[in-house]
Every structure is written in structure tokens, then in C-alpha cells.
Amino acid sequence: MTDMISNQVVAALLVLFLAGLSSTSHAGFLRARAANKTSHYYKSVNDNLLSMDVYDAEPTPGDKPRPLLFYIHGGGWEFGSRADVPDYVLDVATQGGYRLASVQYRLTSEAKQWNGVQYVTWPAQRYDVVDGIRWLVKYATNPNFGIDPERIACWGESAGGQLCSMLALYNTFNASEPKPQVKAAVPFYGPTDILDMVLDIDPRVGCHIDHDAVDSYESKLLGSEATHISIKEIRENRDAMNTSSPWPQLVALGESVNPVELVLSNSPPMFIAHGTRDHTVPFFQSQRLVNALRKASVPCEFGIALGCDHATQPAKCWAPTVSKAQNWLLANL
């Protein structure tokens, strides 16, 4: 892991166009404050650098260490950027007094961009977010950050929700390396069992994506661009208990993506959010994780967004659930 290298990004300027602070202007103030961010290289992969942004950095003198909200963007593990931090996440972070970090991780669309790596597949994404947290913990007490390493939460959406859940639940780290201390997790509409995604589709809602296709997000994550093997074929061979190669290996790889496989009785508390009209990731994917957490007696809250679709759309529909997640985070971090 590379040492900390930072470049100051231009701080956003705030213009108050109302004499008083209405709720709208206050939200604008919070976003402007959060836009003061620095970019840092946290990891080198085959001489290429991965970065993260830390928002509202550079604490003022006497400022106490703050909790950290670690944001992981979505995009089917194929697209998206660390810059894709929604306004409401910025508001949650600033209203809660958290530092906010947004991490870059390798994407399946970045084939041949990592010097000698032909394809980008699982578990590269997991390695990256884990290394991102470790880097922040290492430099938490640096005056440029002022992070309390004992109070870290992750928040992710869609594929980022899956990675946030993995970050909180993954408990088999190398004993010689520090385990990321994620105290709480807030995954929004993330996949939790990719081999059975199609089986979870509610026919009354439908789905805009063929998750079983060889070129689906999930199939690419498991290496279909090289193997030409789809999620559907892996599931069918799992169900047939086919022990000939490569099926046991691919089944194991697929299951290693699934947060539902990793729940333990000492897992951190989670707030899981999902819309009942999600046309991208079936609602029951989150229900699976909630069921697993409750079976293990892990504290969790299920934020069911009635009538809402994927990607916090429409925003007005999602507002009550976001507010519940914000209040839950205040109580659990």
C-alpha cells in the first residue's frame, strides 16, 4: 500500500440567497461544506493507483476526531465513480458530523487497464474496499483527517450495497493484517445472493435486467467474459450437484460474493433498505439478508420503501426511508 499522497481539491463556495436559513438553503450549505474534499491514493495495483475522496477534511484546531461514513458507489460492479456521491448522502454525513470518504474500486469494464490483468473479476472489488478502509484506519489520526477509527460505518447503493455488506460481514481476514472495524452498515438495495437473483423476481414487479445472461453484471463479475459461462449455468450445475470441474469452483466463487453466506452472531448492526417496486435488484434479495441477520440475532432494521424503485427513485418516494436510515445511523455509530 502506498503512503498517503494528497491533492487539495478546490473548495466549494457558498452563496446564501435567502436572508434566513430555510430547509432548502440549509441543505445547500451542507452540500457546499461537504464539497471541501481532498483526493488521496490509497493503493497501487500493477503500478496503477486507486484513489478515494475524503470530504470535509482538514479539521479546525481543537476539532475532536469524528466518526467516518465510508461510501461505496453502485453501477453493477461495471461502471460508476467515487465522485458519484448523492446529495442526500452528503447531507447525512454533514448533519451527523461525520467525515465522509468515497472509494474507487476496480470495475469489470476496465479490462486490460491494470497492466497485465486481462479481466477484472471478483474478488478484486472486495480487496479494494477492504484496503481502502485499512488505509483510512492507518491514517485516521493524521491531522488532515481527524477520524475516530472506532466509529466507522459504511453506506453503499446497489453493487456498492453488496460491497458495504461484505465489508461489514467478511470475517476471515489474514491474521497478520488489521481487520477493518466497521461498526455499522447501511446497504441500500444491494444484491445478497447473486446465483439466485432471478428466482427472487416478483412477477408482479418484473425486472429490467436479465441477470442470468452471459453478459449480465453478475456473470461478468464471475468472469464470463473469459469463460463464457453465465450465472444461470452455474446455478443449474449447483442444483444438479455437478462435481466435475469447473462447476464446484464457480459455485464457490459465486457464493463468496453473497453477504448472506457470511452472517455471524457477532456481526455489526445493519440498516437494510429496499424499494418494493425495484426493477433492477429484486426486493427479496434484501429480505434474504434480513432473514439471515435475524436468525443470527444480529440487530438490524429493514427500511422498506413502499412503491419505490431502484437508485432511490423517485426521490420523494425514498425520503422517509433515507430519514430513517439517518436516524438509525445516529443511534448506532
Side-chain angles (χ1 to χ4, degrees):
M1 187 179 298
T2 59
D3 286 334
M4 182 175 56
I5 309 170
S6 63
N7 294 310
Q8 178 70 44
V9 180
V10 177
L13 297 177
L14 172 65
V15 177
L16 294 175
F17 57 93
L18 294 176
L21 281 177
S22 66
S23 60
T24 301
S25 64
H26 184 54
F29 168 78
L30 293 168
R31 285 190 289 273
R33 179 169 175 256
N36 177 24
K37 65 182 179 181
T38 52
S39 299
H40 309 267
Y41 301 125
Y42 75 91
K43 178 179 179 178
S44 175
V45 178
N46 294 334
D47 297 324
N48 287 345
L49 297 173
L50 284 164
S51 301
M52 75 169 68
D53 295 333
V54 179
Y55 290 71
D56 193 21
E58 298 186 355
T60 58
D63 198 5
K64 294 181 179 179
R66 296 186 189 179
L68 172 71
L69 187 59
F70 188 74
Y71 181 76
I72 310 172
H73 71 79
W77 310 279
E78 184 172 345
F79 59 91
S81 163
R82 72 182 193 276
D84 299 336
V85 182
D87 282 350
Y88 76 83
V89 172
L90 296 176
D91 289 348
V92 166
T94 51
Q95 288 173 356
Y98 314 134
R99 303 290 182 214
L100 174 67
S102 181
V103 66
Q104 175 192 10
Y105 58 91
R106 285 170 286 174
L107 304 172
T108 58
S109 59
E110 296 173 339
K112 300 181 180 179
Q113 294 184 29
W114 295 96
N115 293 349
V117 178
Q118 183 74 4
Y119 299 103
V120 177
T121 60
W122 187 261
Q125 299 79 10
R126 184 185 70 200
Y127 292 151
D128 293 344
V129 296
V130 168
D131 287 341
I133 281 283
R134 286 179 175 151
W135 184 88
L136 282 166
V137 169
K138 178 180 179 180
Y139 291 107
T141 58
N142 186 290
N144 289 328
F145 290 158
I147 292 169
D148 183 349
E150 301 299 321
R151 301 176 68 194
I152 296 176
C154 64
W155 186 307
E157 300 185 5
S158 197
Q162 178 267 339
L163 289 167
C164 175
S165 298
M166 291 292 300
L167 189 59
L169 299 172
Y170 188 52
N171 288 286
T172 55
F173 294 100
N174 187 316
S176 65
E177 298 176 336
K179 176 186 173 183
Q181 297 298 320
V182 176
K183 187 177 180 181
V186 185
F188 269 46
Y189 39 80
T192 68
D193 190 338
I194 66 168
L195 295 182
D196 291 330
M197 188 91 78
V198 165
L199 305 182
D200 288 348
I201 295 172
D202 185 338
R204 297 168 298 179
V205 176
C207 190
H208 294 159
I209 296 174
D210 182 1
H211 294 286
D212 269 355
V214 72
D215 61 350
S216 72
Y217 296 132
E218 296 80 17
S219 294
K220 288 181 180 179
L221 187 67
L222 298 188
S224 67
E225 290 179 295
T227 64
H228 308 292
I229 295 174
S230 68
I231 285 281
K232 180 181 179 180
E233 293 172 278
I234 298 172
R235 182 178 64 252
E236 289 174 343
N237 280 274
R238 177 202 65 185
D239 294 345
M241 294 182 287
N242 189 343
T243 59
S244 61
S245 183
W247 303 114
Q249 295 88 347
L250 288 174
V251 169
L253 181 64
E255 290 178 345
S256 75
V257 178
N258 298 337
V260 292
E261 307 285 345
L262 300 172
V263 175
L264 298 174
S265 60
N266 63 347
S267 295
M270 301 181 74
F271 183 100
I272 299 157
H274 215 120
T276 59
R277 300 288 298 177
D278 195 318
H279 296 87
T280 303
V281 176
F283 172 82
F284 194 72
Q285 285 279 294
S286 283
Q287 184 70 67
R288 285 180 182 270
L289 183 54
V290 169
N291 292 346
L293 290 165
R294 288 176 176 169
K295 184 177 180 180
S297 299
V298 176
C300 69
E301 185 171 335
F302 196 5
I304 299 175
L306 293 174
C308 301
D309 202 348
H310 200 69
T312 57
Q313 296 299 320
K316 185 178 293 186
C317 181
W318 270 97
T321 304
V322 171
S323 180
K324 288 179 182 178
Q326 181 177 13
N327 291 333
W328 179 91
L329 197 58
L330 285 170
N332 286 273
L333 184 57

